Amino acid sequence: MRVFRALASSEAPIRQLITIVITDFYSKLDENGKKAINDKMGYSDAKMGSRTGAQFYLTKIIADKIIARVTTSKLGGYLLRGSSTLAFNVIMIQGIIEEAARASRRLGDKYPSTYMKVSPMNLDMVYFLVEKPLEPYLMYNHSHPIQCKGIQNEICKILAK
């Protein structure tokens, strides 16, 4: 229980995983995609100085939203269920470890380059907490450049509204 309470209070591993994925996403965008996102966020290049600043700002916004959603849904559910009895706590912890291991394997199978980046830091074991919200970014990061161009055009259209 202490491990999961510490995880709930310390969001650093989750934030680090999100930062890696969003950084890859932003760096793969072309100039029009970056400009559309920066304009929608109200962040212009001259505002804070650089594309790196825009990338950091985008990463922070997305990470804050995902972490808020995760801590109120999944992790909160685990902590509430874990406060029942000692016998269920042991089974629950085993189930959470199993779920983390399966999510890690899915990450390695579907997105090997991202897995290679995050597994040395053991961030693949917290992937199960943010798997659903990060899925679109990971799909984009690992898609063919021709598909990326079409996706970027759609992003620009959506953000222009």
Side-chain angles (χ1 to χ4, degrees):
M1 280 308 288
R2 283 188 215 132
V3 171
F4 294 108
R5 284 191 185 127
L7 185 57
S9 64
S10 175
E11 61 198 33
I14 298 170
R15 185 173 296 278
Q16 192 175 5
L17 175 63
I18 294 169
T19 299
I20 290 168
V21 172
I22 300 303
T23 300
D24 289 348
F25 168 77
Y26 192 81
S27 64
K28 194 169 182 179
L29 289 171
D30 66 4
E31 293 304 312
N32 292 334
K34 289 177 183 176
K35 184 177 180 340
I37 288 174
N38 294 348
D39 291 345
K40 191 66 172 185
M41 290 187 318
Y43 185 100
S44 65
D45 288 335
K47 187 175 187 180
M48 294 182 78
S50 70
R51 293 276 182 191
T52 305
Q55 178 179 323
F56 176 76
Y57 185 65
L58 174 68
T59 301
K60 182 185 177 335
I61 288 173
I62 292 173
D64 289 343
K65 290 184 184 228
I66 291 174
I67 289 170
R69 190 179 329 155
V70 166
T71 55
T72 58
S73 63
K74 260 195 175 172
L75 200 54
Y78 289 136
L79 292 176
L80 289 176
R81 282 186 279 163
S83 63
S84 56
T85 66
L86 182 60
F88 286 126
N89 285 342
V90 173
I91 294 170
M92 184 191 74
I93 290 171
Q94 183 179 357
I96 292 171
I97 292 169
E98 177 71 20
E99 188 176 343
R102 286 184 183 178
S104 175
R105 279 186 235 121
R106 282 192 301 273
L107 179 65
D109 291 343
K110 290 171 82 173
Y111 312 111
S113 63
T114 299
Y115 178 80
M116 294 305 289
K117 285 182 185 179
V118 301
S119 65
M121 298 175 273
N122 290 325
L123 298 176
D124 58 318
M125 295 305 284
V126 296
Y127 173 67
F128 78 103
L129 293 169
V130 293
E131 185 172 7
K132 295 285 186 213
L134 287 183
E135 186 75 18
Y137 301 103
L138 287 167
M139 287 174 63
Y140 178 81
N141 291 348
H142 294 273
S143 61
H144 191 274
I146 293 173
Q147 282 181 308
C148 290
K149 190 67 175 164
I151 294 169
Q152 286 180 134
N153 290 338
E154 292 301 315
I155 290 172
C156 291
K157 286 178 190 175
I158 291 168
L159 294 176
K161 293 179 184 179

